[in-house]
Amino acid sequence: MTHFRDRFSELETLATQGVVIADLFKIEPGRMDNFLMHEGPLRADFSKQAISQQGKDALINLARDRRLGDWRSRFFAGEKINISEDRAVLHPALRGVGGSEGVQKQVTEMRTHLRRFARKIRRDKTCKSVVHIGIGGSDLGPRLVADALAASTTCEYDLRFAENVDGASINDALDGLEPESTLVVVVSKSFTTQETRMNANAARDWLRKDLGEKAANNFIAVSANREGAIEFGIAEDQIFDFWDWVGGRYSVWSAVGLSLQIAFGPDAFDEFLAGAAAMDTHFRDAPFESNIPVMMALAGVWNRNILGYTSLAIIPYSRRLRKLPAFLQQLEMESNGKRMDRDGTATDLTCPVIWGDEGTNGQHAFFQWLHQGTPGAPVDFVAVLEDHEKRPDHHAALLANCFAQSEALMLGKPEHKVREELEARGHNVDFISRIAPQKTFPGNRPSTTITLDELSPSALGHLIALYEHKVFVQGVIWNVNSFDQWGVELGKVLAKTILKDFGGEVSDHDPSTLLLIEMVKQEY
Ligand code: F6P
């Protein structure tokens, strides 16, 4: 068997032969068949990646060398692949795919419990607003999904979110609401998160001020730490559990999505789960050659490890998917932003920086850099074909812009064409020599275009599960544990010390931090 590092050098050799994306369409007649893949309402077009058919074959061999098939089986079987925390990783089980019978039973019971609870709230009609408190994985997924579901499903509640410890977050979330008709849902896997506990305290005070002891009825928790939630003062029968085998950033499918079930109805949420389940079975069963998460992960490995790109831009051409870049920042960077592999050996060239914004807005901000800056970045374009806003002219323009950008990134504009244009306008040779290079677009910049037939709950489920599995595959290739996040701990500990320092004797710090603390002490 070839060692995977040898595969990298094989891939590097292929890359040094120079790949011109636009030419690949001419020399590879079956390119569209081999690089366009679909599952249900989702299509992924990888043909504008700088990967030849030979490159694709070599990348698939890399995945085989890394034993991706075995890892995938272990993942779906519920083996404890999160070794540093000694936990299984079973978010697909929340959608009904994988895990033991016991796990599936737990999930089914919880789904029934959640559905009943959501239906009851919706029937009662006393609740008008839902305030969802949580941060990171307990916030980003529900926010993204809330925005996106609004395309197809009526939100029957005033659904608000409070995540940041900045007082503006909870102030804005509670502003103008009536405590009596507001349900506060506190979501925290650990129930130890500072931001969430402070916001939950503030919301509870706000409820109690008006409702007194009855406030407890409007206060609900979702947590994998039942004891922590009870100790915080939440009534036992108001706590919804999830399990340690659900990572925070993979948890929107669990009770973490309760606010969504209430606001949009359990049927829409079930459809969302079913969409993800379809992507799970596709990932589990499709051959690597036509497996969308596998191809997406391998294209990312090629761009990161072989072509040396340091970031990946995510550009949803859909206002209702505008939270996708932020959601994927956590999903990808918290999962694979690692410097040590599973065996404790230093590794580099793992997860690129994930960034982006909605199109077309980004075109008027950072697309200049994407087209002409160095080194540029690969782009994932995400577009929805159906016009759910019932504004056909706007939608056509939105899609035209999306498709134009990927074409422009690939084709560029050669200098000789720019020179011809400048000559035709009568400019002199000196001016043309200076300006033509500046107006030239190098092109050959890679992108993937993902289209959804419609922004239905099912299509959204497909999309999010696709990225989850992509992250899993890259973790296997890079041999990192995608399911822990030790890198977030140090700052949390120091923040606690500094918070204490504000109110008392200052502990030992470097001069810069001391000065900052002193400025705050003077302020108060
Ligand atoms: O600090 C990072 C993190 O632990 C994330 O992994 C997690 O999604 C977020 O904080 C919130 O954690 P919790 O759900 O336990 O409050």
Side-chain angles (χ1 to χ4, degrees):
M1 188 203 295
T2 317
H3 188 268
F4 85 101
R5 293 271 166 216
D6 299 337
R7 285 285 178 214
F8 274 174
S9 51
E10 184 186 335
L11 290 163
E12 272 157 7
T13 310
L14 277 178
T16 51
Q17 290 163 6
V19 180
V20 178
I21 310 170
D23 289 352
L24 292 174
F25 289 96
K26 294 175 207 146
I27 54 184
E28 293 181 347
R31 186 162 179 81
M32 287 315 296
D33 290 336
N34 295 333
F35 285 83
L36 177 66
M37 300 169 193
H38 81 277
E39 165 49 49
L42 183 148
R43 267 182 197 70
D45 180 358
F46 298 103
S47 65
K48 290 197 184 89
Q49 289 290 341
I51 303 172
S52 64
Q53 182 57 48
Q54 210 186 343
K56 181 182 169 190
D57 295 342
L59 284 163
I60 288 172
N61 284 333
L62 168 68
R64 295 212 167 95
D65 289 346
R66 303 300 293 137
R67 299 187 171 280
L68 176 60
D70 291 349
W71 276 102
R72 188 177 53 180
S73 306
R74 293 174 61 193
F75 165 54
F76 281 108
E79 272 189 40
K80 292 188 172 177
I81 57 171
N82 175 358
I83 44 165
S84 69
E85 296 177 314
D86 194 30
R87 289 175 186 167
V89 177
L90 269 174
H91 44 274
L94 299 167
R95 287 98 73 148
V97 183
S100 64
E101 260 180 45
V103 163
Q104 277 306 333
K105 190 164 166 280
Q106 278 181 317
V107 170
T108 310
E109 281 168 10
M110 181 50 71
R111 277 176 69 170
T112 310
H113 185 29
L114 290 166
R115 214 176 291 137
R116 281 205 190 118
F117 183 80
R119 288 223 164 97
K120 183 175 165 297
I121 300 278
R122 287 168 69 82
R123 256 196 326 264
D124 282 357
K125 305 263 179 230
T126 45
C127 169
K128 293 201 180 87
S129 0
V130 177
V131 175
H132 178 112
I133 296 177
I135 195 165
S138 298
D139 167 73
L140 291 161
R143 254 183 218 259
L144 164 66
V145 175
D147 269 3
L149 285 185
S152 61
T153 316
T154 311
C155 179
E156 313 232 342
Y157 292 80
D158 186 352
L159 176 59
R160 310 227 184 144
F161 292 88
E163 80 295 2
N164 199 335
V165 75
D166 183 332
S169 187
I170 191 69
N171 284 349
D172 287 354
L174 300 178
D175 187 40
L177 299 185
E178 287 169 8
E180 198 170 357
S181 57
T182 300
L183 190 68
V184 174
V185 184
V186 183
V187 182
S188 174
K189 181 177 175 185
S190 61
F191 230 86
T192 57
T193 305
Q194 182 192 47
E195 294 92 329
T196 302
R197 288 178 75 100
M198 289 181 83
N199 283 331
N201 263 323
R204 184 165 49 188
D205 290 348
W206 176 81
L207 285 175
R208 276 188 183 153
K209 202 162 161 237
D210 252 55
L211 307 179
E213 284 313 301
K214 279 203 210 140
N217 300 333
N218 296 23
F219 209 59
I220 284 171
V222 175
S223 184
N225 175 10
R226 176 165 273 270
E227 288 70 38
I230 293 170
E231 172 265 318
F232 188 78
I234 296 175
E236 270 195 62
D237 59 352
Q238 302 269 88
I239 301 171
F240 292 82
D241 304 293
F242 64 111
W243 306 278
D244 71 356
W245 42 261
V246 184
R249 51 195 175 272
Y250 300 88
S251 66
V252 65
W253 323 95
S254 69
V256 169
L258 177 60
S259 318
L260 301 167
Q261 295 218 40
I262 295 170
F264 293 93
D267 292 345
F269 197 77
D270 281 352
E271 241 192 86
F272 171 58
L273 296 181
M279 185 53 76
D280 292 334
T281 45
H282 166 85
F283 172 55
R284 189 191 60 196
D285 302 336
F288 290 170
E289 287 74 8
S290 55
N291 193 309
I292 307 172
V294 172
M295 188 61 212
M296 189 182 235
L298 293 176
V301 167
W302 173 265
N303 288 330
R304 178 79 180 109
N305 299 99
I306 309 302
L307 301 186
Y309 284 112
T310 53
S311 75
L312 168 67
I314 309 287
I315 318 290
Y317 274 72
S318 167
R319 158 67 48 110
R320 303 207 183 278
L321 289 173
R322 68 181 183 276
K323 301 271 162 49
L324 187 65
F327 173 79
L328 293 180
Q329 276 176 340
Q330 189 199 15
L331 184 69
E332 301 217 14
M333 295 170 81
E334 199 166 81
S335 296
N336 286 338
K338 308 284 164 69
R339 59 187 273 279
M340 289 288 159
D341 74 8
R342 296 174 150 267
D343 308 313
T345 306
T347 181
D348 56 3
L349 295 175
T350 60
C351 184
V353 174
I354 306 290
W355 61 283
D357 195 3
E358 68 185 285
T360 60
N361 299 12
Q363 290 176 207
H364 303 276
F366 51 79
F367 269 56
Q368 161 64 37
W369 180 85
L370 282 177
H371 285 287
Q372 289 190 318
T374 52
V379 180
D380 281 0
F381 292 99
V382 182
V384 180
L385 299 181
E386 191 198 38
D387 168 28
H388 43 75
E389 300 303 319
K390 307 284 175 271
R391 292 205 178 264
D393 296 353
H394 288 244
H395 199 64
L398 182 69
L399 293 180
N401 271 282
C402 177
F403 303 163
Q405 291 300 330
S406 65
E407 192 174 36
L409 283 166
M410 174 177 73
L411 296 180
K413 189 170 176 183
E415 191 173 328
H416 71 83
K417 241 190 191 169
V418 179
R419 283 180 172 274
E420 279 164 23
E421 283 177 9
L422 291 172
E423 273 161 24
R425 276 190 222 133
H427 290 293
N428 66 43
V429 178
D430 190 38
F431 179 85
I432 292 174
S433 298
R434 271 186 295 118
I435 299 305
Q438 297 174 45
K439 294 187 84 170
T440 297
F441 291 64
N444 211 31
R445 301 203 160 187
S447 68
T448 296
T449 301
I450 298 161
T451 56
L452 304 177
D453 288 346
E454 55 194 8
L455 193 47
S456 59
S458 164
L460 181 67
H462 277 78
L463 180 69
I464 299 177
L466 161 61
Y467 276 98
E468 287 181 349
H469 295 317
K470 169 213 167 170
V471 167
F472 172 82
V473 175
Q474 291 191 331
V476 171
I477 305 283
W478 290 323
N479 192 32
V480 296
N481 181 0
S482 307
F483 304 105
D484 60 13
Q485 57 282 321
W486 303 111
V488 301
E489 297 305 329
L490 180 59
K492 288 185 193 174
V493 173
L494 294 181
K496 275 191 191 143
T497 310
I498 293 175
L499 189 56
K500 259 198 209 142
D501 292 346
F502 288 159
E505 201 180 316
V506 179
S507 51
D508 194 24
H509 295 278
D510 62 88
S512 160
T513 310
L514 279 175
L515 178 71
L516 292 167
I517 294 170
E518 208 40 56
M519 288 190 311
V520 174
K521 283 176 95 75
Q522 276 169 23
E523 188 69 21
Y524 289 96

